[in-house]
Amino acid sequence: MILPRYDRRCGWYEQLDFISDFPEVTTDIRVDVLVIGAGFVGCAAARRMAENRPDTSVMLIDAIKVGQGASGRNSGFVIDQPHKRDLESGDEQLKQKIVGLSRVALEYLETQIDRYGIDCQWSHAGKYQAAVGPRGRKHLDHYEALLKKGNETYRRLDKDEMREVFGTNFYSAAIHTPGGALMQPAALMRGLADHMPDNVQVAERTAVTSIARNKRGFEVRTEKARIQCRQLILGTNIFTAELGYMADRILPIMTFASMTAPLNNSQLKRYGGQLDWGITPADHGGTTLRMTQDKRLIVRNSYRYAHDYNTPQALIPGIAARHRDAFDQRYPQLNDVEFEYTWGGASGLSANFETYFGELEPDVFASCCDQSVGAARGTISGMMLADMACGKKTELLHDMQSVSGNPSRLPPKPLLRIGVPVRLAYERFASRSEV
């Protein structure tokens, strides 16, 4: 059984000033609801369950420290728009449901950030999508046409505006959509876990090794104890298969990021752009770029089939070199800026691009195959899993079910280990002008 582990490389987590500590489960315990995985899905599910049923005992556990997993490793976007595949769907009602659900998630997160004073660089900065060359501009033009069709607000930037915001002339075209937010993901995850309702217990470093059904519900074994519960909510995404569910349906793909040291005054002057923005590439194989509120630039590209769910150390130098090349192309004036961190973060894809949401079997609820849009999608999924587990039938839950599907079965793993790297290499070659 493969368990999550932390590699001490994630820049978001490593720069946290203060990290609280939740105990490991070391003695047998009984709770009403057990939520496994303290990422966006798990944190939202535990909170919502506690809000729905204040007299219910809820336990939220994670195999590592909260914020060290995939939810604390993303690029810090909370996106309200449908992802590329959903955006291209001809079903306008489906797209409006996705937007509506994502905006509920944004509001839910912001309410907690404001209430508890969570310091996570949260801002309504929106999102830029940018193109480098003809291939990227073709994708961007298509994106603009889809935004127009959906009556979504956006703004196309001219060359001077791009230079003023991004501090580089590298991009040939960009579009800004105002609805999303930016944040520091590891800080957000820690803040959410630190301020759970009174009827939620949080436990870290508590890896699940098996799940068995019995007359009283479920017996969940960890490395040191047993947890008895009536209902299970799984926010385990790529590790869901390790717990015996969704086997051969979740494709774990890892993408990599590098983060610079904070720019000093001289470097900021040479940079010449603004703080607090984020670019996603018009071509999905291109490079994501972030400038944080604390003056760090982040480059994300390069993909790997994460069959082992983790990042081999031997890959890091080569990936960092790719990031350095992408950075130097954009910012030749900043060749003295050093990368402090390089890390990988995995997301769950499916062969037919469908996300899963629902009841896997009686009293076992899960959301997985996030298709690389985990923050908003994970938050609303966790909320709605809790509603489903409580028997609440709402319009939001109906919408959540209608935008979810059934991930198709994947080929056998030996074929995946050959085919997926070949496909990723092809995509990297096709998108090389946009990286």
Side-chain angles (χ1 to χ4, degrees):
M1 185 177 192
I2 302 175
L3 298 175
R5 65 173 187 265
Y6 183 56
D7 52 16
R8 303 190 65 83
R9 285 195 289 263
C10 178
W12 295 122
Y13 190 86
E14 291 299 310
Q15 63 177 289
L16 294 177
D17 292 331
F18 170 77
I19 300 172
S20 56
D21 193 50
F22 296 104
E24 178 183 1
V25 177
T26 56
T27 58
D28 293 355
I29 189 171
R30 181 188 299 274
V31 295
D32 294 319
V33 181
L34 179 65
V35 182
I36 304 175
F40 285 111
V41 173
C43 282
R47 179 176 298 278
R48 185 76 161 196
M49 179 62 73
E51 292 169 345
N52 287 345
R53 293 179 176 171
D55 296 328
T56 292
S57 59
V58 181
M59 175 167 272
L60 172 65
I61 64 174
D62 203 283
I64 47 182
K65 294 279 286 181
V66 177
Q68 290 180 343
S71 291
R73 290 170 169 260
N74 65 62
S75 295
F77 293 85
V78 189
I79 298 172
D80 63 333
Q81 294 290 329
H83 204 35
K84 289 182 173 64
R85 304 285 181 182
D86 289 325
L87 193 63
E88 291 169 353
S89 166
D91 187 340
E92 292 301 320
Q93 285 190 334
L94 179 141
K95 286 186 277 190
Q96 288 305 311
K97 287 177 181 178
I98 293 172
V99 171
L101 289 163
S102 296
R103 289 176 179 165
V104 170
L106 276 156
E107 182 179 354
Y108 194 68
L109 288 171
E110 189 162 41
T111 296
Q112 295 161 63
I113 290 165
D114 290 344
R115 178 180 298 163
Y116 303 114
I118 298 172
D119 183 8
C120 63
Q121 300 184 33
W122 181 270
S123 73
H124 286 283
K127 175 181 73 72
Y128 294 92
Q129 191 163 118
V132 178
R135 177 184 170 92
R137 287 195 299 274
K138 182 178 179 180
H139 283 287
L140 195 70
D141 290 343
H142 180 54
Y143 176 58
E144 183 176 19
L146 293 171
L147 290 173
K148 283 182 178 178
K149 187 175 181 181
N151 294 315
E152 288 293 327
T153 301
Y154 73 94
R155 180 172 62 89
R156 190 142 183 162
L157 283 71
D158 61 30
K159 197 76 173 176
D160 290 340
E161 288 175 311
M162 287 188 288
R163 178 66 180 82
E164 181 181 348
V165 176
F166 308 141
T168 177
N169 292 316
F170 188 72
Y171 294 100
S172 64
I175 285 173
H176 179 256
T177 52
L182 298 176
M183 47 79 183
Q184 206 278 41
L188 175 56
M189 300 318 303
R190 293 304 311 181
L192 294 175
D194 286 342
H195 296 94
M196 281 289 163
D198 291 341
N199 56 326
V200 178
Q201 300 177 66
V202 181
E204 299 178 311
R205 301 180 300 276
T206 301
V208 172
T209 57
S210 68
I211 297 172
R213 187 181 290 274
N214 58 30
K215 293 180 180 179
R216 294 173 293 178
F218 300 92
E219 181 181 277
V220 176
R221 288 185 176 267
T222 72
E223 293 170 314
K224 296 182 179 179
R226 294 174 295 179
I227 304 171
Q228 182 72 35
C229 63
R230 291 189 295 105
Q231 291 181 307
L232 274 172
I233 298 178
L234 306 183
T236 44
N237 204 15
I238 64 171
F239 290 95
T240 305
E242 295 297 301
L243 300 178
Y245 302 99
M246 300 294 290
D248 301 324
R249 294 183 187 271
I250 304 173
L251 182 67
I253 296 293
M254 183 168 288
T255 184
F256 297 88
S258 287
M259 174 186 285
T260 71
L263 273 59
N264 60 36
N265 289 337
S266 171
Q267 292 163 343
L268 280 172
K269 186 175 181 179
R270 280 178 273 141
Y271 160 64
Q274 299 177 7
L275 300 181
D276 196 29
W277 51 262
I279 293 173
T280 59
D283 177 358
H284 66 271
T287 295
T288 296
L289 192 65
R290 274 286 316 270
M291 168 55 91
T292 67
Q293 293 179 11
D294 57 353
K295 308 171 188 176
R296 297 173 183 267
L297 282 158
I298 300 167
V299 174
R300 188 185 76 177
N301 61 40
S302 303
Y303 297 86
R304 172 180 180 262
Y305 170 41
H307 57 88
D308 53 3
Y309 302 158
N310 291 292
T311 310
Q313 175 63 35
L315 295 178
I316 294 299
I319 289 164
R322 287 186 204 166
H323 291 165
R324 186 79 241 182
D325 183 59
F327 182 88
D328 288 344
Q329 289 184 60
R330 287 158 175 79
Y331 299 107
Q333 76 274 31
L334 297 178
N335 58 6
D336 60 333
V337 175
E338 298 292 333
F339 285 156
E340 279 195 346
Y341 307 99
T342 297
W343 71 91
S347 60
L349 309 184
S350 62
N352 58 351
F353 307 107
E354 293 284 356
T355 58
Y356 179 80
F357 169 91
E359 192 170 13
L360 291 166
E361 61 179 69
D363 288 320
V364 181
F365 306 87
S367 174
C368 51
C369 294
D370 57 17
Q371 309 299 323
S372 299
V373 283
R377 179 78 180 213
T379 297
I380 192 65
S381 295
M383 294 167 64
M384 294 302 99
L385 286 177
D387 283 4
M388 178 181 281
C390 292
K392 292 181 66 175
K393 296 181 179 180
T394 65
E395 185 176 348
L396 280 177
L397 177 56
H398 179 268
D399 287 350
M400 190 73 233
Q401 292 171 311
S402 66
V403 303
S404 305
N406 184 28
S408 58
R409 193 174 298 277
L410 295 165
K413 286 187 176 181
L415 293 180
L416 288 176
R417 293 191 66 168
I418 297 171
V420 176
V422 170
R423 177 61 183 269
L424 291 176
Y426 169 77
E427 295 290 345
R428 184 167 61 246
F429 176 80
S431 302
R432 64 194 182 281
S433 62
E434 296 295 310
V435 175

